[in-house]
Amino acid sequence: NTSKNAYLDADIDLGGDALAMRMAGEYNAIFEGCGHTVSNYTQSGQSLINIMGTTSELRNVRFECDGQATSGFGTVAFQNNGKMKNVDVEVTVTGSINNWGPMALATGGTFEDCDSTIHMAAAAATSNTLFHIARQDGTTNFTNCTYFVDGEGAAASFLADPTGVTARTSL
């Protein structure tokens, strides 16, 4: 339900599925991860959450995506002025990708205490227009966000980081 708060009470292992689906409608509630992890999936479609509306918050959760091969949308959400707080994403980019950020395609909104780890396969070296946290339009706010990029394709073209986003030096 797009207006009901949701709480994870355990980790979720998606069994290696390729997800080509997403939540329908605009989500305007709290998704509380309670420190749990959603793992073991490949993103072949759009983001898991269609739209995070102005009153939505995604917090205290980790996403582990085994393969990312879709341009534009982030692994987690299309964020329309929502808030992500204490969200971690670990993603493996398996091929060339453009106009992408590991967490979201963000039109406004807030990212606070978020972290991304991006593993770039060799085939991802030709990627361009990448963002370390979220593909964003310049009105998005970042506070205390960090990232790490490694792998054979780590030389792909990432755009300059906005204020509030800094690199980590190790896993």
Side-chain angles (χ1 to χ4, degrees), residues 2-76:
T2 59
S3 61
K4 300 273 185 186
N5 294 341
Y7 303 88
L8 292 182
D9 61 5
D11 292 345
I12 298 173
D13 183 331
L14 296 175
D17 286 343
L19 299 182
M21 62 180 187
R22 60 182 178 160
M23 176 190 291
E26 181 175 283
Y27 189 65
N28 281 294
I30 296 171
F31 184 99
E32 171 60 62
C34 299
H36 293 292
T37 299
V38 177
S39 65
N40 196 17
Y41 68 98
T42 298
Q43 185 187 6
S44 62
Q46 298 179 28
S47 304
L48 292 174
I49 299 174
N50 179 26
I51 300 172
M52 288 180 62
T54 302
T55 59
S56 66
E57 185 171 339
L58 177 64
R59 63 187 186 206
N60 303 317
V61 65
R62 177 176 173 82
F63 294 90
E64 295 175 0
C65 182
D66 298 328
Q68 164 65 39
T70 302
S71 293
F73 293 91
T75 304
V76 178

Side-chain angles (χ1 to χ4, degrees), residues 2 10 15 28 35 38-39 43 76-78 87 91 102 114 123 127 135 137 143:
T2 59
N28 281 294
V38 177
S39 65
Q43 185 187 6
V76 178
F78 171 33
V87 174
V91 61
C114 293
S127 299
R135 174 182 162 190
D137 63 1
T143 303

Side-chain angles (χ1 to χ4, degrees), residues 44-149:
S44 62
Q46 298 179 28
S47 304
L48 292 174
I49 299 174
N50 179 26
I51 300 172
M52 288 180 62
T54 302
T55 59
S56 66
E57 185 171 339
L58 177 64
R59 63 187 186 206
N60 303 317
V61 65
R62 177 176 173 82
F63 294 90
E64 295 175 0
C65 182
D66 298 328
Q68 164 65 39
T70 302
S71 293
F73 293 91
T75 304
V76 178
F78 171 33
Q79 182 173 339
N80 186 20
N81 292 307
K83 181 177 184 176
M84 288 195 196
K85 182 175 181 176
N86 194 29
V87 174
D88 293 342
V89 171
E90 183 169 357
V91 61
T92 300
V93 180
T94 56
S96 183
I97 190 168
N98 301 310
N99 295 313
W100 174 83
M103 288 195 185
L105 185 165
T107 56
T110 302
F111 292 80
E112 183 179 324
D113 299 323
C114 293
D115 181 77
S116 68
T117 301
I118 308 165
H119 307 293
M120 304 286 285
T126 60
S127 299
N128 61 53
T129 317
L130 304 178
F131 301 82
H132 289 115
I133 298 290
R135 174 182 162 190
Q136 44 91 18
D137 63 1
T139 64
T140 308
N141 295 305
F142 299 91
T143 303
N144 197 35
C145 294
T146 56
Y147 65 88
F148 179 76
V149 180

